[in-house]
Amino acid sequence: MKLHELKPAPGSTKRRKRVGRGASSGMGKTASRGHKGQSQRSGFSLPLDFEGGQTPLYKRFRKVGFNNPHRKEFQTVNVSELNRYEDGTVVTPQMLRERRLIGKARGKVKILGDGEIKRKLTVKAHKFTASAEKKIQAAGGTTEVI
């Protein structure tokens, strides 16, 4: 196939409408605009958002705010709060709930790096900030992503 052999798909192109070229132009006396009324006059244009008198879409919806349906919610716990556990403890989201460091029965847990940790712990959570991971490992503990 060569460039000069390319043709548009059948039915995908239409002839240009040449308005105001007389009755024999193929569009008759009114140039396919119909008889009388606003849309038949020269210079007529409607706003792009006009919906025939129906309340336009932009007026039907709220103007402020957005609720992301794909938002991931995390319960957050600071590294300093993990000092409540004894050395060598494996800290899980279930244990955090028991100590009331997080609420909700469901939801993921994220460990934040605020504060200092002095215990050697194995922490299991859904997410860790880089600083939290660094602090836990510096204290001799390990992090495990669930």
Side-chain angles (χ1 to χ4, degrees):
M1 182 176 279
K2 297 184 177 89
L3 278 176
H4 70 275
E5 294 172 346
L6 290 174
K7 286 186 175 151
S12 66
T13 57
K14 295 178 184 175
R15 290 187 63 190
R16 189 173 145 236
K17 186 192 285 189
R18 296 189 70 217
V19 178
R21 294 293 183 275
S24 63
S25 66
M27 278 165 266
K29 177 177 77 95
T30 57
S32 74
R33 284 171 172 246
H35 292 273
K36 297 184 181 177
Q38 183 184 16
S39 57
Q40 279 59 275
R41 312 288 183 219
S42 66
F44 162 77
S45 68
L46 267 179
L48 291 173
D49 59 351
F50 185 70
E51 295 183 27
Q54 171 176 294
T55 305
L57 194 68
Y58 73 91
K59 283 189 175 182
R60 280 181 274 170
F61 286 103
R62 54 192 306 222
K63 307 297 183 290
V64 176
F66 170 74
N67 289 323
N68 184 356
H70 307 295
R71 180 175 178 212
K72 293 179 181 92
E73 255 186 66
F74 288 93
Q75 308 269 339
T76 58
V77 178
N78 282 314
V79 157
S80 58
E81 295 176 46
L82 299 176
N83 286 320
R84 300 177 185 196
Y85 296 99
E86 299 299 316
D87 273 338
T89 308
V90 177
V91 180
T92 62
Q94 185 60 39
M95 292 175 76
L96 294 171
R97 273 186 208 101
E98 287 166 7
R99 290 265 178 117
R100 297 184 185 258
L101 291 175
I102 58 173
K104 280 191 202 172
R106 290 191 305 272
K108 297 183 177 187
V109 179
K110 185 172 185 175
I111 308 295
L112 306 179
D114 193 29
E116 292 301 318
I117 184 167
K118 297 169 182 86
R119 309 253 190 237
K120 185 178 175 181
L121 304 169
T122 300
V123 185
K124 293 184 178 184
H126 299 93
K127 222 170 194 182
F128 295 88
T129 59
S131 61
E133 210 164 339
K134 209 179 284 181
K135 287 179 182 180
I136 292 168
Q137 288 168 355
T142 56
T143 58
E144 200 176 304
V145 176
I146 299 173

